[in-house]
Amino acid sequence: VQLQASGGGRVQAGGSLRLFCITSGDTGAGYLMAWFRQAPTKEREFVAAINWNDGKVDYADSVKGRFTISGGSAKNTMYLQMNNLKPEDTGVYYCASKATFFLLRSGFANWGHGTQVTVSS
């Protein structure tokens, strides 16, 4: 499985961006996709996840109410709509996936290259 993230950019605080992640390869029966981010000098952190099997989603507290994770009609595309962006949202955003039937925040085996998001104050 290979993942490719895109859609990053530079916006002012309060602005919006939409990230995309495309999966290629055999995803199997159970499939979980997620977004993580890593700010300079900080560890990578969980942002949001979507379970393709039941549509359940999960968000980090820091992005609840501002970010929305969703999937495309085919089980190979994932989006992250980011609204009301804050400077602390700045970082490299990565999409990841895992063969599982559960909604998890860790243990992801497949990672894409990141896309940079910069939010200026």
Side-chain angles (χ1 to χ4, degrees):
V1 174
Q2 293 185 333
L3 300 142
Q4 179 65 48
S6 61
R10 181 184 295 271
V11 296
Q12 290 188 329
S16 299
L17 283 173
R18 194 181 196 200
L19 304 185
F20 306 85
C21 180
I22 296 177
T23 300
S24 60
D26 184 6
T27 58
Y31 199 56
L32 178 68
M33 295 185 75
W35 290 98
F36 289 77
R37 67 186 181 188
Q38 187 167 17
T41 73
K42 293 187 177 181
E43 293 187 354
R44 187 166 55 193
E45 64 176 358
F46 169 81
V47 175
I50 181 167
N51 187 322
W52 275 105
N53 304 291
D54 56 17
K56 289 184 178 179
V57 297
D58 184 25
Y59 296 97
D61 288 343
S62 59
V63 305
K64 278 183 181 177
R66 300 188 298 121
F67 291 11
T68 302
I69 189 171
S70 61
S73 56
K75 197 175 73 173
N76 69 338
T77 307
M78 176 177 65
Y79 307 97
L80 185 69
Q81 178 66 43
M82 305 185 295
N83 297 327
N84 190 22
L85 282 160
K86 303 176 181 180
E88 51 264 42
D89 294 318
T90 294
V92 178
Y93 283 68
Y94 299 89
C95 58
S97 71
K98 178 179 175 63
T100 179
F101 289 96
F102 301 101
L103 192 59
L104 303 171
R105 293 188 174 192
S106 63
F108 286 80
N110 308 306
W111 293 86
H113 294 294
T115 184
Q116 176 72 44
V117 172
T118 303
V119 185
S120 58
S121 58

